Amino acid sequence: MVDDPPPRPRRAVRLRPVGDGELRLHHRVVHGYRRAYRMAGEGPVLVLIHGIGDSSATWAELIPDLARTHTVIAPDLLGHGASDKPRADYSVAAYANGVRDLLASLDIESATLVGHSLGGGVAMQFAYQFPERTERLILVSAGGVGREVNPVLRAVSLPGAHLMLSTLRLPGMRFQVGMFARLMRLLDTDLGQDAPELLTLVDALPDVTSRSAFIRTLRAVVDWRGQAVTMLDRCYLTEGMPTMLLWGDRDSVVPVRHAYGAREAMPGSRLEIFEGAGHFPFHSDPARFLALVEEFTSTTRPAHWSREHWRELLRAGRPGSAAGQPDTVRNRAVERDLRQASERSAT
């Protein structure tokens, strides 16, 4: 194995103004489908990948600050936002391929990936499929780590979900959902921490095409038992890749205990917990989020991928596995999750 490179010195920050025109949606046709994205700034590339049912708009308030020191690209994943919503492959691997192809069409060779929720799973899958294109990983309340997920998402994965979601468009339902969300917030529940975002997701499903794309995406990663994909069995491959995990300690969608499991499974990763935040810590405390991203990207070196090192990691295998050296103290919790997730795969 090779040692991780020492942190690089903090670079001199050169701030540049970001015009309103840079924040508008752009469109590019890839494989015959129109894909929407936002692109702003100059410098090292940051790719912001949103979660299920969301869009690049979730990053809109952060992009101007990030774009002062970075080239920021925030796509609307296929089936989301202003991108096309075909009857297509909405698996995590397909999304990783789509991000790669969009970046290639924009002449971007490599980037730091920032992924939220489903986008975190896509970012991890991207790093697994295309390590030579991945400089760093910043995973925000990421999916693909443990089985647990909010019961509402498990319910929507069941047959009849189309009918369930279509009722949200009935007269008065938007008001009732809003009242429920506000009640959850008044009661100071974990679910209530994300009430505004939950209402935004409801509004993002205005027609049958949007609802169909949402359900197809959800069923690719969630079933009635919980999350159906995992990256825990190959997280050891991130050795040498700067990785930061950001999580809200009141996340009702992906529990914060998943953050600790991910840190154990990803050698050298860094974990930052946002106290009092739910599933959207970058909305709850944007100033801290921006500071952490800037500090992390300016003080770590981009991952250096080599075929030889990748081969060594694969041959050694996951710590605690048959091919690797046992490390029962470090991997006890991870091994338990892996046994529970034995039927799950993100490949």
PDB file of all heavy atoms in Angstrom, residues 25 27 34-37 50-56 75-86 90 95 118-119 122 201 204-205 209-210 212-218:
ATOM      1  N   LEU A  25     -30.048  28.080 -15.932  1.00  0.00           N
ATOM      2  CA  LEU A  25     -29.952  26.710 -16.431  1.00  0.00           C
ATOM      3  C   LEU A  25     -29.424  26.691 -17.855  1.00  0.00           C
ATOM      4  O   LEU A  25     -29.842  27.481 -18.700  1.00  0.00           O
ATOM      5  CB  LEU A  25     -31.324  26.032 -16.391  1.00  0.00           C
ATOM      6  CG  LEU A  25     -31.775  25.448 -15.059  1.00  0.00           C
ATOM      7  CD1 LEU A  25     -33.205  24.951 -15.178  1.00  0.00           C
ATOM      8  CD2 LEU A  25     -30.855  24.315 -14.611  1.00  0.00           C
ATOM      9  N   HIS A  27     -28.482  23.796 -21.096  1.00  0.00           N
ATOM     10  CA  HIS A  27     -28.951  22.495 -21.557  1.00  0.00           C
ATOM     11  C   HIS A  27     -27.959  21.900 -22.550  1.00  0.00           C
ATOM     12  O   HIS A  27     -27.363  22.627 -23.356  1.00  0.00           O
ATOM     13  CB  HIS A  27     -30.334  22.601 -22.214  1.00  0.00           C
ATOM     14  CG  HIS A  27     -31.401  23.060 -21.275  1.00  0.00           C
ATOM     15  ND1 HIS A  27     -31.678  24.400 -21.061  1.00  0.00           N
ATOM     16  CD2 HIS A  27     -32.238  22.356 -20.466  1.00  0.00           C
ATOM     17  CE1 HIS A  27     -32.646  24.508 -20.170  1.00  0.00           C
ATOM     18  NE2 HIS A  27     -33.014  23.290 -19.800  1.00  0.00           N
ATOM     19  N   ARG A  34     -32.125  15.617 -23.373  1.00  0.00           N
ATOM     20  CA  ARG A  34     -31.725  16.947 -22.938  1.00  0.00           C
ATOM     21  C   ARG A  34     -31.446  16.935 -21.438  1.00  0.00           C
ATOM     22  O   ARG A  34     -32.293  16.524 -20.653  1.00  0.00           O
ATOM     23  CB  ARG A  34     -32.821  17.965 -23.258  1.00  0.00           C
ATOM     24  CG  ARG A  34     -32.359  19.411 -23.089  1.00  0.00           C
ATOM     25  CD  ARG A  34     -33.434  20.395 -23.485  1.00  0.00           C
ATOM     26  NE  ARG A  34     -34.466  20.469 -22.465  1.00  0.00           N
ATOM     27  CZ  ARG A  34     -35.189  21.573 -22.231  1.00  0.00           C
ATOM     28  NH1 ARG A  34     -34.993  22.647 -22.953  1.00  0.00           N
ATOM     29  NH2 ARG A  34     -36.114  21.570 -21.289  1.00  0.00           N
ATOM     30  N   ARG A  35     -30.276  17.396 -21.087  1.00  0.00           N
ATOM     31  CA  ARG A  35     -29.863  17.429 -19.688  1.00  0.00           C
ATOM     32  C   ARG A  35     -29.620  18.871 -19.273  1.00  0.00           C
ATOM     33  O   ARG A  35     -28.884  19.607 -19.935  1.00  0.00           O
ATOM     34  CB  ARG A  35     -28.603  16.592 -19.469  1.00  0.00           C
ATOM     35  CG  ARG A  35     -28.821  15.116 -19.812  1.00  0.00           C
ATOM     36  CD  ARG A  35     -27.518  14.341 -19.836  1.00  0.00           C
ATOM     37  NE  ARG A  35     -27.729  12.994 -20.350  1.00  0.00           N
ATOM     38  CZ  ARG A  35     -27.881  11.914 -19.616  1.00  0.00           C
ATOM     39  NH1 ARG A  35     -27.876  12.018 -18.297  1.00  0.00           N
ATOM     40  NH2 ARG A  35     -28.043  10.734 -20.171  1.00  0.00           N
ATOM     41  N   ALA A  36     -30.244  19.268 -18.181  1.00  0.00           N
ATOM     42  CA  ALA A  36     -30.101  20.626 -17.671  1.00  0.00           C
ATOM     43  C   ALA A  36     -28.984  20.674 -16.637  1.00  0.00           C
ATOM     44  O   ALA A  36     -28.740  19.702 -15.917  1.00  0.00           O
ATOM     45  CB  ALA A  36     -31.422  21.092 -17.054  1.00  0.00           C
ATOM     46  N   TYR A  37     -28.313  21.810 -16.578  1.00  0.00           N
ATOM     47  CA  TYR A  37     -27.255  21.966 -15.578  1.00  0.00           C
ATOM     48  C   TYR A  37     -26.988  23.444 -15.363  1.00  0.00           C
ATOM     49  O   TYR A  37     -27.313  24.295 -16.199  1.00  0.00           O
ATOM     50  CB  TYR A  37     -25.967  21.254 -16.021  1.00  0.00           C
ATOM     51  CG  TYR A  37     -25.344  21.818 -17.276  1.00  0.00           C
ATOM     52  CD1 TYR A  37     -24.315  22.765 -17.213  1.00  0.00           C
ATOM     53  CD2 TYR A  37     -25.792  21.431 -18.539  1.00  0.00           C
ATOM     54  CE1 TYR A  37     -23.748  23.286 -18.356  1.00  0.00           C
ATOM     55  CE2 TYR A  37     -25.233  21.944 -19.694  1.00  0.00           C
ATOM     56  CZ  TYR A  37     -24.205  22.874 -19.595  1.00  0.00           C
ATOM     57  OH  TYR A  37     -23.659  23.407 -20.737  1.00  0.00           O
ATOM     58  N   HIS A  50     -27.490  16.461  -6.706  1.00  0.00           N
ATOM     59  CA  HIS A  50     -28.639  16.539  -5.810  1.00  0.00           C
ATOM     60  C   HIS A  50     -29.213  15.163  -5.484  1.00  0.00           C
ATOM     61  O   HIS A  50     -28.809  14.138  -6.049  1.00  0.00           O
ATOM     62  CB  HIS A  50     -29.721  17.418  -6.434  1.00  0.00           C
ATOM     63  CG  HIS A  50     -30.280  16.860  -7.713  1.00  0.00           C
ATOM     64  ND1 HIS A  50     -31.181  15.826  -7.761  1.00  0.00           N
ATOM     65  CD2 HIS A  50     -30.054  17.196  -9.015  1.00  0.00           C
ATOM     66  CE1 HIS A  50     -31.495  15.539  -9.011  1.00  0.00           C
ATOM     67  NE2 HIS A  50     -30.826  16.355  -9.798  1.00  0.00           N
ATOM     68  N   GLY A  51     -30.205  15.139  -4.595  1.00  0.00           N
ATOM     69  CA  GLY A  51     -30.842  13.903  -4.178  1.00  0.00           C
ATOM     70  C   GLY A  51     -32.102  13.594  -4.964  1.00  0.00           C
ATOM     71  O   GLY A  51     -32.504  14.324  -5.879  1.00  0.00           O
ATOM     72  N   ILE A  52     -32.768  12.512  -4.596  1.00  0.00           N
ATOM     73  CA  ILE A  52     -33.944  12.035  -5.324  1.00  0.00           C
ATOM     74  C   ILE A  52     -35.090  13.046  -5.221  1.00  0.00           C
ATOM     75  O   ILE A  52     -35.346  13.617  -4.160  1.00  0.00           O
ATOM     76  CB  ILE A  52     -34.384  10.657  -4.792  1.00  0.00           C
ATOM     77  CG1 ILE A  52     -35.461  10.050  -5.693  1.00  0.00           C
ATOM     78  CG2 ILE A  52     -34.856  10.738  -3.358  1.00  0.00           C
ATOM     79  CD1 ILE A  52     -35.741   8.594  -5.389  1.00  0.00           C
ATOM     80  N   GLY A  53     -35.756  13.280  -6.339  1.00  0.00           N
ATOM     81  CA  GLY A  53     -36.876  14.205  -6.374  1.00  0.00           C
ATOM     82  C   GLY A  53     -36.471  15.668  -6.342  1.00  0.00           C
ATOM     83  O   GLY A  53     -37.316  16.554  -6.426  1.00  0.00           O
ATOM     84  N   ASP A  54     -35.193  15.938  -6.258  1.00  0.00           N
ATOM     85  CA  ASP A  54     -34.687  17.297  -6.134  1.00  0.00           C
ATOM     86  C   ASP A  54     -34.133  17.761  -7.483  1.00  0.00           C
ATOM     87  O   ASP A  54     -34.352  17.124  -8.508  1.00  0.00           O
ATOM     88  CB  ASP A  54     -33.616  17.346  -5.045  1.00  0.00           C
ATOM     89  CG  ASP A  54     -33.603  18.660  -4.276  1.00  0.00           C
ATOM     90  OD1 ASP A  54     -34.112  19.657  -4.802  1.00  0.00           O
ATOM     91  OD2 ASP A  54     -33.066  18.675  -3.147  1.00  0.00           O
ATOM     92  N   SER A  55     -33.394  18.838  -7.487  1.00  0.00           N
ATOM     93  CA  SER A  55     -32.787  19.352  -8.709  1.00  0.00           C
ATOM     94  C   SER A  55     -31.598  20.226  -8.336  1.00  0.00           C
ATOM     95  O   SER A  55     -31.315  20.440  -7.146  1.00  0.00           O
ATOM     96  CB  SER A  55     -33.800  20.167  -9.521  1.00  0.00           C
ATOM     97  OG  SER A  55     -34.063  21.409  -8.884  1.00  0.00           O
ATOM     98  N   SER A  56     -30.936  20.766  -9.346  1.00  0.00           N
ATOM     99  CA  SER A  56     -29.794  21.648  -9.093  1.00  0.00           C
ATOM    100  C   SER A  56     -30.199  22.897  -8.324  1.00  0.00           C
ATOM    101  O   SER A  56     -29.342  23.566  -7.724  1.00  0.00           O
ATOM    102  CB  SER A  56     -29.137  22.042 -10.416  1.00  0.00           C
ATOM    103  OG  SER A  56     -30.061  22.722 -11.256  1.00  0.00           O
ATOM    104  N   PRO A  75     -25.712  19.512 -12.126  1.00  0.00           N
ATOM    105  CA  PRO A  75     -26.671  18.983 -13.096  1.00  0.00           C
ATOM    106  C   PRO A  75     -28.027  18.675 -12.472  1.00  0.00           C
ATOM    107  O   PRO A  75     -28.134  18.429 -11.270  1.00  0.00           O
ATOM    108  CB  PRO A  75     -25.993  17.687 -13.556  1.00  0.00           C
ATOM    109  CG  PRO A  75     -25.202  17.239 -12.367  1.00  0.00           C
ATOM    110  CD  PRO A  75     -24.743  18.505 -11.677  1.00  0.00           C
ATOM    111  N   ASP A  76     -29.063  18.730 -13.301  1.00  0.00           N
ATOM    112  CA  ASP A  76     -30.333  18.084 -12.982  1.00  0.00           C
ATOM    113  C   ASP A  76     -30.212  16.653 -13.499  1.00  0.00           C
ATOM    114  O   ASP A  76     -30.116  16.441 -14.713  1.00  0.00           O
ATOM    115  CB  ASP A  76     -31.506  18.775 -13.695  1.00  0.00           C
ATOM    116  CG  ASP A  76     -31.874  20.110 -13.085  1.00  0.00           C
ATOM    117  OD1 ASP A  76     -31.218  20.524 -12.117  1.00  0.00           O
ATOM    118  OD2 ASP A  76     -32.819  20.748 -13.597  1.00  0.00           O
ATOM    119  N   LEU A  77     -30.185  15.679 -12.604  1.00  0.00           N
ATOM    120  CA  LEU A  77     -30.078  14.299 -13.048  1.00  0.00           C
ATOM    121  C   LEU A  77     -31.234  13.948 -13.978  1.00  0.00           C
ATOM    122  O   LEU A  77     -32.324  14.524 -13.886  1.00  0.00           O
ATOM    123  CB  LEU A  77     -30.070  13.352 -11.844  1.00  0.00           C
ATOM    124  CG  LEU A  77     -28.888  13.483 -10.883  1.00  0.00           C
ATOM    125  CD1 LEU A  77     -29.091  12.553  -9.675  1.00  0.00           C
ATOM    126  CD2 LEU A  77     -27.564  13.169 -11.571  1.00  0.00           C
ATOM    127  N   LEU A  78     -30.991  12.998 -14.864  1.00  0.00           N
ATOM    128  CA  LEU A  78     -32.050  12.550 -15.764  1.00  0.00           C
ATOM    129  C   LEU A  78     -33.281  12.151 -14.944  1.00  0.00           C
ATOM    130  O   LEU A  78     -33.169  11.487 -13.913  1.00  0.00           O
ATOM    131  CB  LEU A  78     -31.556  11.346 -16.578  1.00  0.00           C
ATOM    132  CG  LEU A  78     -32.322  11.054 -17.876  1.00  0.00           C
ATOM    133  CD1 LEU A  78     -32.091  12.161 -18.893  1.00  0.00           C
ATOM    134  CD2 LEU A  78     -31.876   9.710 -18.454  1.00  0.00           C
ATOM    135  N   GLY A  79     -34.468  12.594 -15.383  1.00  0.00           N
ATOM    136  CA  GLY A  79     -35.686  12.302 -14.640  1.00  0.00           C
ATOM    137  C   GLY A  79     -35.989  13.313 -13.561  1.00  0.00           C
ATOM    138  O   GLY A  79     -36.975  13.171 -12.837  1.00  0.00           O
ATOM    139  N   HIS A  80     -35.164  14.357 -13.447  1.00  0.00           N
ATOM    140  CA  HIS A  80     -35.317  15.354 -12.388  1.00  0.00           C
ATOM    141  C   HIS A  80     -35.252  16.764 -12.973  1.00  0.00           C
ATOM    142  O   HIS A  80     -34.635  16.997 -14.019  1.00  0.00           O
ATOM    143  CB  HIS A  80     -34.220  15.212 -11.334  1.00  0.00           C
ATOM    144  CG  HIS A  80     -34.278  13.942 -10.549  1.00  0.00           C
ATOM    145  ND1 HIS A  80     -33.941  12.723 -11.085  1.00  0.00           N
ATOM    146  CD2 HIS A  80     -34.644  13.698  -9.256  1.00  0.00           C
ATOM    147  CE1 HIS A  80     -34.096  11.780 -10.155  1.00  0.00           C
ATOM    148  NE2 HIS A  80     -34.517  12.350  -9.048  1.00  0.00           N
ATOM    149  N   GLY A  81     -35.866  17.693 -12.257  1.00  0.00           N
ATOM    150  CA  GLY A  81     -35.754  19.092 -12.619  1.00  0.00           C
ATOM    151  C   GLY A  81     -36.159  19.366 -14.052  1.00  0.00           C
ATOM    152  O   GLY A  81     -37.195  18.902 -14.535  1.00  0.00           O
ATOM    153  N   ALA A  82     -35.305  20.105 -14.775  1.00  0.00           N
ATOM    154  CA  ALA A  82     -35.583  20.474 -16.161  1.00  0.00           C
ATOM    155  C   ALA A  82     -34.973  19.505 -17.165  1.00  0.00           C
ATOM    156  O   ALA A  82     -35.054  19.753 -18.372  1.00  0.00           O
ATOM    157  CB  ALA A  82     -35.070  21.886 -16.426  1.00  0.00           C
ATOM    158  N   SER A  83     -34.372  18.421 -16.697  1.00  0.00           N
ATOM    159  CA  SER A  83     -33.847  17.404 -17.607  1.00  0.00           C
ATOM    160  C   SER A  83     -34.985  16.528 -18.123  1.00  0.00           C
ATOM    161  O   SER A  83     -36.067  16.473 -17.514  1.00  0.00           O
ATOM    162  CB  SER A  83     -32.803  16.530 -16.905  1.00  0.00           C
ATOM    163  OG  SER A  83     -31.615  17.260 -16.657  1.00  0.00           O
ATOM    164  N   ASP A  84     -34.720  15.840 -19.242  1.00  0.00           N
ATOM    165  CA  ASP A  84     -35.728  14.937 -19.790  1.00  0.00           C
ATOM    166  C   ASP A  84     -36.049  13.831 -18.792  1.00  0.00           C
ATOM    167  O   ASP A  84     -35.232  13.487 -17.926  1.00  0.00           O
ATOM    168  CB  ASP A  84     -35.236  14.325 -21.105  1.00  0.00           C
ATOM    169  CG  ASP A  84     -35.371  15.298 -22.276  1.00  0.00           C
ATOM    170  OD1 ASP A  84     -36.051  16.327 -22.115  1.00  0.00           O
ATOM    171  OD2 ASP A  84     -34.777  15.027 -23.340  1.00  0.00           O
ATOM    172  N   LYS A  85     -37.252  13.261 -18.939  1.00  0.00           N
ATOM    173  CA  LYS A  85     -37.728  12.225 -18.029  1.00  0.00           C
ATOM    174  C   LYS A  85     -38.220  11.019 -18.836  1.00  0.00           C
ATOM    175  O   LYS A  85     -39.405  10.681 -18.811  1.00  0.00           O
ATOM    176  CB  LYS A  85     -38.830  12.785 -17.132  1.00  0.00           C
ATOM    177  CG  LYS A  85     -38.360  13.975 -16.295  1.00  0.00           C
ATOM    178  CD  LYS A  85     -39.491  14.666 -15.583  1.00  0.00           C
ATOM    179  CE  LYS A  85     -38.984  15.837 -14.751  1.00  0.00           C
ATOM    180  NZ  LYS A  85     -38.350  16.896 -15.583  1.00  0.00           N
ATOM    181  N   PRO A  86     -37.308  10.353 -19.534  1.00  0.00           N
ATOM    182  CA  PRO A  86     -37.717   9.217 -20.375  1.00  0.00           C
ATOM    183  C   PRO A  86     -37.951   7.958 -19.549  1.00  0.00           C
ATOM    184  O   PRO A  86     -37.636   7.912 -18.351  1.00  0.00           O
ATOM    185  CB  PRO A  86     -36.517   9.028 -21.300  1.00  0.00           C
ATOM    186  CG  PRO A  86     -35.347   9.444 -20.446  1.00  0.00           C
ATOM    187  CD  PRO A  86     -35.857  10.599 -19.612  1.00  0.00           C
ATOM    188  N   TYR A  90     -32.602   4.269 -14.436  1.00  0.00           N
ATOM    189  CA  TYR A  90     -32.355   5.237 -13.375  1.00  0.00           C
ATOM    190  C   TYR A  90     -31.566   4.617 -12.219  1.00  0.00           C
ATOM    191  O   TYR A  90     -31.719   5.026 -11.066  1.00  0.00           O
ATOM    192  CB  TYR A  90     -33.682   5.804 -12.861  1.00  0.00           C
ATOM    193  CG  TYR A  90     -34.387   6.704 -13.865  1.00  0.00           C
ATOM    194  CD1 TYR A  90     -35.693   6.459 -14.257  1.00  0.00           C
ATOM    195  CD2 TYR A  90     -33.726   7.794 -14.415  1.00  0.00           C
ATOM    196  CE1 TYR A  90     -36.339   7.282 -15.162  1.00  0.00           C
ATOM    197  CE2 TYR A  90     -34.361   8.626 -15.323  1.00  0.00           C
ATOM    198  CZ  TYR A  90     -35.670   8.370 -15.700  1.00  0.00           C
ATOM    199  OH  TYR A  90     -36.298   9.191 -16.607  1.00  0.00           O
ATOM    200  N   TYR A  95     -26.647   6.693 -13.454  1.00  0.00           N
ATOM    201  CA  TYR A  95     -26.462   8.105 -13.128  1.00  0.00           C
ATOM    202  C   TYR A  95     -24.978   8.473 -13.127  1.00  0.00           C
ATOM    203  O   TYR A  95     -24.599   9.561 -13.584  1.00  0.00           O
ATOM    204  CB  TYR A  95     -27.079   8.424 -11.771  1.00  0.00           C
ATOM    205  CG  TYR A  95     -28.565   8.695 -11.819  1.00  0.00           C
ATOM    206  CD1 TYR A  95     -29.441   8.089 -10.926  1.00  0.00           C
ATOM    207  CD2 TYR A  95     -29.096   9.595 -12.752  1.00  0.00           C
ATOM    208  CE1 TYR A  95     -30.803   8.349 -10.962  1.00  0.00           C
ATOM    209  CE2 TYR A  95     -30.457   9.857 -12.788  1.00  0.00           C
ATOM    210  CZ  TYR A  95     -31.304   9.232 -11.895  1.00  0.00           C
ATOM    211  OH  TYR A  95     -32.649   9.502 -11.939  1.00  0.00           O
ATOM    212  N   LEU A 118     -29.280  10.632  -2.455  1.00  0.00           N
ATOM    213  CA  LEU A 118     -29.040   9.792  -3.629  1.00  0.00           C
ATOM    214  C   LEU A 118     -27.807  10.257  -4.378  1.00  0.00           C
ATOM    215  O   LEU A 118     -27.007   9.437  -4.870  1.00  0.00           O
ATOM    216  CB  LEU A 118     -30.249   9.838  -4.565  1.00  0.00           C
ATOM    217  CG  LEU A 118     -30.050   9.201  -5.943  1.00  0.00           C
ATOM    218  CD1 LEU A 118     -30.007   7.680  -5.837  1.00  0.00           C
ATOM    219  CD2 LEU A 118     -31.132   9.651  -6.926  1.00  0.00           C
ATOM    220  N   GLY A 119     -27.597  11.573  -4.448  1.00  0.00           N
ATOM    221  CA  GLY A 119     -26.418  12.110  -5.115  1.00  0.00           C
ATOM    222  C   GLY A 119     -25.125  11.662  -4.463  1.00  0.00           C
ATOM    223  O   GLY A 119     -24.089  11.542  -5.139  1.00  0.00           O
ATOM    224  N   VAL A 122     -24.515   8.342  -5.909  1.00  0.00           N
ATOM    225  CA  VAL A 122     -24.026   8.515  -7.279  1.00  0.00           C
ATOM    226  C   VAL A 122     -22.561   8.926  -7.259  1.00  0.00           C
ATOM    227  O   VAL A 122     -21.756   8.425  -8.065  1.00  0.00           O
ATOM    228  CB  VAL A 122     -24.871   9.563  -8.024  1.00  0.00           C
ATOM    229  CG1 VAL A 122     -24.275   9.877  -9.394  1.00  0.00           C
ATOM    230  CG2 VAL A 122     -26.316   9.077  -8.178  1.00  0.00           C
ATOM    231  N   LEU A 201     -40.263  18.998  -2.562  1.00  0.00           N
ATOM    232  CA  LEU A 201     -40.280  17.726  -3.278  1.00  0.00           C
ATOM    233  C   LEU A 201     -41.689  17.391  -3.754  1.00  0.00           C
ATOM    234  O   LEU A 201     -41.867  16.828  -4.846  1.00  0.00           O
ATOM    235  CB  LEU A 201     -39.740  16.611  -2.375  1.00  0.00           C
ATOM    236  CG  LEU A 201     -38.270  16.725  -1.954  1.00  0.00           C
ATOM    237  CD1 LEU A 201     -37.841  15.490  -1.181  1.00  0.00           C
ATOM    238  CD2 LEU A 201     -37.373  16.928  -3.157  1.00  0.00           C
ATOM    239  N   ALA A 204     -42.382  19.224  -6.806  1.00  0.00           N
ATOM    240  CA  ALA A 204     -41.558  18.802  -7.943  1.00  0.00           C
ATOM    241  C   ALA A 204     -42.170  17.633  -8.710  1.00  0.00           C
ATOM    242  O   ALA A 204     -41.567  17.141  -9.669  1.00  0.00           O
ATOM    243  CB  ALA A 204     -40.160  18.422  -7.462  1.00  0.00           C
ATOM    244  N   LEU A 205     -43.361  17.167  -8.304  1.00  0.00           N
ATOM    245  CA  LEU A 205     -44.010  16.037  -8.971  1.00  0.00           C
ATOM    246  C   LEU A 205     -45.369  16.470  -9.529  1.00  0.00           C
ATOM    247  O   LEU A 205     -46.405  15.950  -9.124  1.00  0.00           O
ATOM    248  CB  LEU A 205     -44.179  14.870  -7.986  1.00  0.00           C
ATOM    249  CG  LEU A 205     -42.901  14.355  -7.323  1.00  0.00           C
ATOM    250  CD1 LEU A 205     -43.241  13.321  -6.255  1.00  0.00           C
ATOM    251  CD2 LEU A 205     -41.966  13.768  -8.361  1.00  0.00           C
ATOM    252  N   THR A 209     -45.494  12.109 -15.729  1.00  0.00           N
ATOM    253  CA  THR A 209     -44.132  11.828 -16.193  1.00  0.00           C
ATOM    254  C   THR A 209     -43.127  12.026 -15.074  1.00  0.00           C
ATOM    255  O   THR A 209     -42.235  11.188 -14.865  1.00  0.00           O
ATOM    256  CB  THR A 209     -43.777  12.742 -17.380  1.00  0.00           C
ATOM    257  OG1 THR A 209     -44.726  12.541 -18.431  1.00  0.00           O
ATOM    258  CG2 THR A 209     -42.380  12.426 -17.899  1.00  0.00           C
ATOM    259  N   SER A 210     -43.264  13.118 -14.326  1.00  0.00           N
ATOM    260  CA  SER A 210     -42.363  13.374 -13.203  1.00  0.00           C
ATOM    261  C   SER A 210     -42.517  12.319 -12.123  1.00  0.00           C
ATOM    262  O   SER A 210     -41.522  11.830 -11.563  1.00  0.00           O
ATOM    263  CB  SER A 210     -42.642  14.761 -12.612  1.00  0.00           C
ATOM    264  OG  SER A 210     -42.442  15.777 -13.559  1.00  0.00           O
ATOM    265  N   SER A 212     -43.571   9.230 -12.476  1.00  0.00           N
ATOM    266  CA  SER A 212     -43.053   7.960 -12.964  1.00  0.00           C
ATOM    267  C   SER A 212     -41.531   7.912 -12.850  1.00  0.00           C
ATOM    268  O   SER A 212     -40.962   6.903 -12.414  1.00  0.00           O
ATOM    269  CB  SER A 212     -43.481   7.744 -14.412  1.00  0.00           C
ATOM    270  OG  SER A 212     -42.955   6.531 -14.917  1.00  0.00           O
ATOM    271  N   ALA A 213     -40.859   9.004 -13.234  1.00  0.00           N
ATOM    272  CA  ALA A 213     -39.400   9.055 -13.130  1.00  0.00           C
ATOM    273  C   ALA A 213     -38.957   8.959 -11.675  1.00  0.00           C
ATOM    274  O   ALA A 213     -37.965   8.280 -11.353  1.00  0.00           O
ATOM    275  CB  ALA A 213     -38.874  10.334 -13.765  1.00  0.00           C
ATOM    276  N   PHE A 214     -39.696   9.624 -10.774  1.00  0.00           N
ATOM    277  CA  PHE A 214     -39.370   9.567  -9.349  1.00  0.00           C
ATOM    278  C   PHE A 214     -39.469   8.139  -8.833  1.00  0.00           C
ATOM    279  O   PHE A 214     -38.574   7.646  -8.129  1.00  0.00           O
ATOM    280  CB  PHE A 214     -40.315  10.485  -8.572  1.00  0.00           C
ATOM    281  CG  PHE A 214     -40.143  10.427  -7.079  1.00  0.00           C
ATOM    282  CD1 PHE A 214     -39.180  11.192  -6.454  1.00  0.00           C
ATOM    283  CD2 PHE A 214     -40.940   9.595  -6.299  1.00  0.00           C
ATOM    284  CE1 PHE A 214     -39.016  11.145  -5.072  1.00  0.00           C
ATOM    285  CE2 PHE A 214     -40.782   9.538  -4.928  1.00  0.00           C
ATOM    286  CZ  PHE A 214     -39.816  10.311  -4.310  1.00  0.00           C
ATOM    287  N   ILE A 215     -40.549   7.450  -9.173  1.00  0.00           N
ATOM    288  CA  ILE A 215     -40.760   6.091  -8.682  1.00  0.00           C
ATOM    289  C   ILE A 215     -39.712   5.138  -9.257  1.00  0.00           C
ATOM    290  O   ILE A 215     -39.182   4.271  -8.541  1.00  0.00           O
ATOM    291  CB  ILE A 215     -42.189   5.620  -9.013  1.00  0.00           C
ATOM    292  CG1 ILE A 215     -43.206   6.407  -8.177  1.00  0.00           C
ATOM    293  CG2 ILE A 215     -42.359   4.124  -8.740  1.00  0.00           C
ATOM    294  CD1 ILE A 215     -44.644   6.177  -8.582  1.00  0.00           C
ATOM    295  N   ARG A 216     -39.391   5.282 -10.541  1.00  0.00           N
ATOM    296  CA  ARG A 216     -38.374   4.421 -11.140  1.00  0.00           C
ATOM    297  C   ARG A 216     -37.021   4.624 -10.470  1.00  0.00           C
ATOM    298  O   ARG A 216     -36.275   3.669 -10.228  1.00  0.00           O
ATOM    299  CB  ARG A 216     -38.276   4.685 -12.641  1.00  0.00           C
ATOM    300  CG  ARG A 216     -39.479   4.180 -13.436  1.00  0.00           C
ATOM    301  CD  ARG A 216     -39.356   4.552 -14.908  1.00  0.00           C
ATOM    302  NE  ARG A 216     -38.245   3.823 -15.542  1.00  0.00           N
ATOM    303  CZ  ARG A 216     -38.364   2.618 -16.072  1.00  0.00           C
ATOM    304  NH1 ARG A 216     -39.527   1.980 -16.020  1.00  0.00           N
ATOM    305  NH2 ARG A 216     -37.343   2.038 -16.633  1.00  0.00           N
ATOM    306  N   THR A 217     -36.696   5.873 -10.161  1.00  0.00           N
ATOM    307  CA  THR A 217     -35.436   6.154  -9.477  1.00  0.00           C
ATOM    308  C   THR A 217     -35.443   5.562  -8.078  1.00  0.00           C
ATOM    309  O   THR A 217     -34.471   4.921  -7.641  1.00  0.00           O
ATOM    310  CB  THR A 217     -35.202   7.677  -9.395  1.00  0.00           C
ATOM    311  OG1 THR A 217     -35.215   8.229 -10.707  1.00  0.00           O
ATOM    312  CG2 THR A 217     -33.865   7.980  -8.744  1.00  0.00           C
ATOM    313  N   LEU A 218     -36.537   5.766  -7.352  1.00  0.00           N
ATOM    314  CA  LEU A 218     -36.621   5.258  -5.985  1.00  0.00           C
ATOM    315  C   LEU A 218     -36.514   3.743  -5.951  1.00  0.00           C
ATOM    316  O   LEU A 218     -35.781   3.181  -5.119  1.00  0.00           O
ATOM    317  CB  LEU A 218     -37.930   5.713  -5.344  1.00  0.00           C
ATOM    318  CG  LEU A 218     -38.147   5.272  -3.896  1.00  0.00           C
ATOM    319  CD1 LEU A 218     -37.138   5.948  -2.974  1.00  0.00           C
ATOM    320  CD2 LEU A 218     -39.570   5.577  -3.443  1.00  0.00           C
TER     321      LEU A 218
END
